[in-house]
Amino acid sequence: MKKISFLTLLLVIGLVVAGCSNDTSGGAEGEVGGEITVWAHPFTGDAEKEEEMWDKISTSFQEEYDAEVNIEIIPWANRDQKILTALAANNGPDVFYAIPDQMPQYADVGMLLELDPYLEGYDMDDFVDSALVSTTWKDKLYGLPILQSVDTLFYNKSVIEAIGEDPENLPETWKEFEAWAVKAKEQGFYATSFQGGGSMNNTLYPYIWQAGGDIVSADNEVLINGEGGVEAFSFINKMYKNGWIPEDSVTAMEQNALWEDGQMLAILGSGNTLANLQNKGKIDFVIGPPLKNKKQAAYGTTGMFVVPSNTDNPATAAEFVKTLTNAENQRTFNKVTQYIPARESSKDIFDEQPFLSQLASYTQYTLPGVINPKGRDIMPMIQAQLQAMLEGDVTPQEAADAAAEAIEGAVSQ
C-alpha cells in the first residue's frame, strides 16, 4: 500500500469537506442533543485524575443538554495523521484538540467548522486576547481556547548574586540583559540558553517579535528580513560570538545540564520548567518578565478545541466546545493540567501559587508562533539559515534574506 503524504491527506480532506459543506454551512441550525465523540490527549501523567476531570465536565453537559459525550484519549504521537485519516474516511470525532500550527492548515482547506454563528450571547470578552489570535484564521473563529503557556527567563539567584546584581530588579530590556550577560561571562557563567536545534518558537521568533518584527503574515507577506528580523538575527549572533550562550547552541536540543550545574544565569522556560524546579528544589530561582526591545513579547502556545466541518452534529459539538471552555470548566481543566487558563477570570486558580500567578500575568505578551498554513514547513528553512549564521558562513542580513527567499518559495506553492 502506498504511503499517503500529509499534503495529500489535506487535499483529501478538502474534497471530503467540499462534498459535505452543504450540510454545515447553514449557520447554527439544529437542536443540541444526540451523541458526539471528543478526541483529547493525555495532559499529565495521572490518567486517573484526568478521567475524573473529563467525567465531571462531560456529565454536567449531558445533564444540561440530554446529550451523550464520548471522551476518547488518543496519543500525541502521529496525531495529525490519525485525525486527517479519520476525517477523510468520515468517521472522525465531532470535537478535537488542536494547537496553533494545526489550526490554519485545517481551516485553510475547509476542514473546520466556523464557530462564529454559534456564539451569539456567549461571553467572549473574558478570553485572553492573545489566546484568540491562535483560534482565528482570516477573521473567522475556528476554535475556542482552553489553555495557554508562557516562555520566559528563569534566573538562578546564586548567579545573580555572584555577578553583583539584585534578584528583585531583573532585566526588562535587551540592553539591561546584555549588561548582565557581560558580567556573567566575566564571572565564568553563560548568560542564557539557546537550543538552535529545537523549535524556532523558542529561539529566533521571540527575538524577532521583541525587535518589532514578524516572520510571515496570514496573507503571505514575508517579513523576516525586515528591520526587526535582521536585528534579531544580529542579537543572537552577538550572544554566540561573545560566549553568552553555550558553544553547542548551533544544534543543541537542550542545555539543562549547564543550568542544573549552576553554570548559567538564566534559562528560557515555561510551566514545565517551574514544576521541575519546584520538584527538585536544588536551585533558588526567580522568574523574569518577557524581554523587550521595541516590544515586550514571548512565545506561548494556546490549546484549543475545534469542530470538524463534516461532523454529523455541529450544534451539539459547538455547544460542547463552548461549555468546555467556559470559566468554570477552564478552572476544572487547568487545576488538573496546571496550564494557564485562557480566560482572565479563571486565572484565580493560581491565587495561592505565586509563580504560576506570575506566569499567568504574562500571557498578554505571548504570540503562538506563525499562524499560517505553511508555518511548519518554513521552520526548518529558517533554522538552516540561523545555524549557518552561527557557524560563521553568512552574516545576519544574509541569513535573514535567505530565509525570506525560502519562505517566499514555500508560501507561493
Side-chain angles (χ1 to χ4, degrees), residues 280-295:
K280 292 180 179 179
K282 294 180 179 179
I283 296 176
D284 192 10
F285 66 94
V286 287
I287 301 176
L291 295 177
K292 64 181 177 182
N293 186 27
K294 293 182 177 65
K295 176 182 177 181

Side-chain angles (χ1 to χ4, degrees), residues 122-129 132 325-328 330-331 341-347:
Y122 185 65
D123 179 17
M124 294 294 295
D125 293 339
D126 189 36
F127 282 112
V128 181
D129 289 341
L132 295 177
T325 58
N326 68 25
E328 189 54 39
Q330 294 250 358
R331 292 186 182 95
R343 284 185 176 275
E344 291 289 357
S345 64
S346 304
K347 292 179 180 179

Side-chain angles (χ1 to χ4, degrees), residues 342-353:
R343 284 185 176 275
E344 291 289 357
S345 64
S346 304
K347 292 179 180 179
D348 59 5
I349 62 172
F350 297 140
D351 282 352
E352 304 302 319
Q353 301 179 70

Side-chain angles (χ1 to χ4, degrees), residues 32 69 74 83 114 129 167 172 215 219 223 235 237 250 267 272 327 339 345 370 381:
V32 177
V69 179
I74 67 171
I83 290 168
E114 181 192 344
D129 289 341
E172 297 181 358
I215 296 88
D219 59 2
L223 304 167
F235 186 65
N237 199 47
V250 180
I267 192 168
N272 289 333
Y339 282 98
S345 64
V370 174
M381 303 172 185

Side-chain angles (χ1 to χ4, degrees), residues 273-313:
T273 310
L274 174 62
N276 288 334
L277 286 168
Q278 290 178 322
N279 288 337
K280 292 180 179 179
K282 294 180 179 179
I283 296 176
D284 192 10
F285 66 94
V286 287
I287 301 176
L291 295 177
K292 64 181 177 182
N293 186 27
K294 293 182 177 65
K295 176 182 177 181
Q296 190 170 15
Y299 169 72
T301 193
T302 297
M304 70 194 82
F305 282 91
V306 298
V307 178
S309 55
N310 63 352
T311 174
D312 292 329
N313 201 343

Side-chain angles (χ1 to χ4, degrees), residues 105 201 225 257 263 294 313 394:
Q105 293 183 67
N201 288 331
N225 61 337
Q263 299 180 50
K294 293 182 177 65
N313 201 343
V394 295

Side-chain angles (χ1 to χ4, degrees), residues 150-155 167-173 176-177 210 268 286-292 296-298 358-359 361-362 365:
V150 177
D151 279 19
T152 192
L153 290 171
F154 288 66
Y155 292 82
E168 295 186 4
N169 188 24
L170 300 173
E172 297 181 358
T173 66
E176 292 169 356
F177 184 78
Q210 290 165 8
L268 187 68
V286 287
I287 301 176
L291 295 177
K292 64 181 177 182
Q296 190 170 15
Q358 182 183 357
L359 288 176
S361 74
Y362 296 147
Y365 305 118

